[in-house]
Amino acid sequence: MSYITPGKVYLVGAGPGDPGLMTLRGKTLLEHANVVVYDALVSPAILSMIGAQAVQIYGGKRSGRHSAPQAEITQQLIQLAQEHAVVVRLKGGDPFMFGRGGEEMADLIAAGVPVEVVPGVTSGIAAPAYAGIPLTHRDYSSSVAFITGHEAVDKYRPSVNWQALAKGAETLVVYMGVQNLGRIVEELLQAGRSPDTPVALVRWGTLPEQTELFATLATVVTQIQVQDFQPPAVAVIGEVVNLRQHLKP
């Protein structure tokens, strides 16, 4: 407890779900927190680590089912920091990997609230690993890109440059991309990626209910429909997907 500073907000990465992947620092903070504001994708096994003394507040966000606007959640954290010694903002995966942790940290610092970030294992690395897919391999991929697939379809000037990514990285890892995968596939094919490029989708990665779908750029959209494959899932695009045949435990 000596290295926990009172009067601070801790942005803690909960990891991808498997409690064995939670960091020791994160676990210690959950055990001593006064209040924990947790996200939707934090697994029950991780929530069970929270000490009995802590107030638990749901602050999760899921597509189409947001509990509260981001600004409201940040304002809540500022208020809680004035009332409690140890406030934990528990975020799925890693706070800085498509978790809006950077935005929350900037707003907290601007409000004069001390903040510490505790990194977590991100699902974009853990889920493929549990499916037997290495993101890099000396013979198949020396580059990997992590991308959000959650941009609105009608967004003006999308910030993701799929044309550049198709040529710039051998392995693509797409977060939150199931709903927009049709548009993503179209962009990659237009940029010159082969229709035969292997694709893997890993749902609920690292958890007992983990499920996987394997296809190619040419077939993945149809396979999602046929199998009624639902989010949340991580997509891996690249030749490394084929290594699962040799590396899956």
Side-chain angles (χ1 to χ4, degrees):
M1 183 66 179
S2 60
Y3 61 101
I4 297 178
T5 303
K8 180 183 285 189
V9 173
Y10 297 84
L11 302 180
V12 177
D18 184 340
L21 298 179
M22 181 70 174
T23 64
L24 291 176
R25 176 63 166 162
K27 183 175 183 291
T28 298
L29 287 165
L30 291 182
E31 292 169 345
H32 293 92
N34 301 113
V35 59
V36 178
V37 181
Y38 64 94
D39 271 352
L41 294 180
V42 177
S43 71
I46 299 296
L47 294 177
S48 70
M49 297 178 183
I50 299 173
Q53 78 287 342
V55 176
Q56 298 186 32
I57 301 173
Y58 176 71
K61 290 173 174 291
R62 295 289 296 277
S63 180
R65 293 175 287 170
H66 291 186
S67 62
Q70 182 62 43
E72 190 174 313
I73 293 174
T74 305
Q75 188 57 45
Q76 182 182 44
L77 291 173
I78 294 171
Q79 183 64 37
L80 289 170
Q82 297 171 354
E83 301 170 352
H84 300 279
V86 181
V87 178
V88 170
R89 174 68 167 117
L90 187 60
K91 306 178 77 66
D94 178 84
F96 282 176
M97 183 65 82
F98 306 123
R100 306 193 73 168
E103 298 168 51
E104 291 181 359
M105 188 173 188
D107 289 342
L108 289 165
I109 291 175
V113 177
V115 188
E116 179 184 321
V117 177
V118 180
V121 178
T122 181
S123 61
I125 293 175
Y130 273 52
I133 302 170
L135 299 183
T136 63
H137 187 284
R138 188 168 61 178
D139 296 329
Y140 297 96
S141 175
S142 59
S143 58
V144 58
F146 298 94
I147 313 145
T148 177
H150 194 52
E151 289 190 312
V153 174
D154 58 350
K155 179 181 177 182
Y156 179 62
R157 288 185 181 174
S159 56
V160 175
N161 187 338
W162 293 104
Q163 294 283 319
L165 286 167
K167 299 179 177 67
E170 291 157 305
T171 303
L172 304 179
V173 180
V174 184
Y175 291 67
M176 304 170 289
V178 174
Q179 293 178 329
N180 288 337
L181 200 58
R183 177 179 61 83
I184 293 169
V185 167
E186 183 179 348
E187 293 267 10
L188 293 174
L189 292 174
Q190 288 179 355
R193 277 277 176 133
S194 169
D196 295 326
T197 301
V199 178
L201 294 177
V202 186
R203 184 174 189 264
W204 296 120
T206 79
L207 294 172
E209 56 267 41
Q210 174 174 316
T211 55
E212 302 150 8
L213 182 155
F214 298 104
T216 65
L217 282 179
T219 63
V220 66
V221 174
T222 299
Q223 287 300 311
I224 288 173
Q225 296 171 348
V226 169
Q227 299 186 32
D228 191 28
F229 197 91
Q230 299 294 322
V234 170
V236 183
I237 302 169
E239 296 302 321
V240 291
V241 170
N242 284 338
L243 292 172
R244 78 186 190 282
Q245 303 172 41
H246 310 288
L247 304 181
K248 181 67 186 276

